[in-house]
Amino acid sequence: MPRYADHDLLKEKEGYSVMETDTYQPRPVAIVGKAGIFAKAHDAREYWDNILHKVNCISEVPPSRWSVDDYYDPDPQAPDKVYCKHGGFIPDIDFNPMEFGIPPNMLEVTDVSQLLGLVVARDLLVDARYGEEYGGCLLYTSPSPRD
């Protein structure tokens, strides 16, 4: 079997040890579902439609994100300002904390990326036919790393 391409380089790095049995073994992968949230796309299907229809998903900063008047300055050297007011922004996503067993009062201490991750994980499981209408699933996120 072939060795890892960087096997010898990795062995030389301080504090890194490689067992002599470490080898690359191709393994089959099954893609059973897909999900995601993308610029101007609530889900993978909408994302793919945007690609097929050549939709430009770059836009000015939506007012719901931050005030362009407060933070934008075309001068890249301006202190405490950004010199770009365009980007790829995900759409607003409806989130029901009770659907995931999260008390509403925990939302203020839960990072938005965790909540979005739950939404995408749920959509992935539904797409893979493991979702609620296919027998149910339980998703949970902890509000802090210690929980």
Side-chain angles (χ1 to χ4, degrees):
M1 284 182 236
R3 313 266 308 152
Y4 285 115
D6 296 329
H7 181 266
D8 292 329
L9 292 174
L10 291 174
K11 279 177 66 174
E12 294 173 10
K13 290 189 177 191
E14 184 176 335
Y16 186 88
S17 63
V18 176
M19 294 175 51
E20 288 304 315
T21 58
D22 282 355
T23 57
Y24 170 75
Q25 297 177 358
R27 297 174 197 251
V29 174
I31 299 172
V32 296
K34 61 189 177 315
I37 302 170
F38 307 92
K40 290 191 181 179
H42 290 84
D43 55 38
R45 183 180 310 254
E46 194 174 347
Y47 173 70
W48 188 245
D49 285 343
N50 287 344
I51 291 172
L52 292 176
H53 294 101
K54 300 178 182 178
V55 174
N56 179 358
C57 295
I58 304 301
S59 63
E60 281 203 22
V61 177
S64 63
R65 301 305 161 92
W66 48 271
S67 170
V68 172
D69 293 335
D70 291 344
Y71 297 102
Y72 173 74
D73 190 311
D75 177 10
Q77 304 301 319
D80 301 322
K81 300 286 183 176
V82 296
Y83 60 93
C84 182
K85 58 182 178 177
H86 292 84
F89 299 92
I90 63 172
D92 292 334
I93 304 296
D94 292 329
F95 183 81
N96 177 2
M98 299 307 286
E99 178 183 357
F100 298 96
I102 301 172
N105 64 346
M106 295 303 293
L107 289 179
E108 64 186 48
V109 296
T110 305
D111 189 85
V112 173
S113 63
Q114 289 180 303
L115 304 178
L116 291 172
L118 282 172
V119 170
V120 171
R122 179 206 56 209
D123 293 349
L124 175 68
L125 292 169
V126 168
D127 191 66
R129 300 192 184 275
Y130 288 104
E132 191 171 309
E133 66 260 31
Y134 302 105
C137 62
L138 174 66
L139 295 173
Y140 172 76
T141 185
S142 170
S144 77
R146 288 174 269 141
D147 292 339

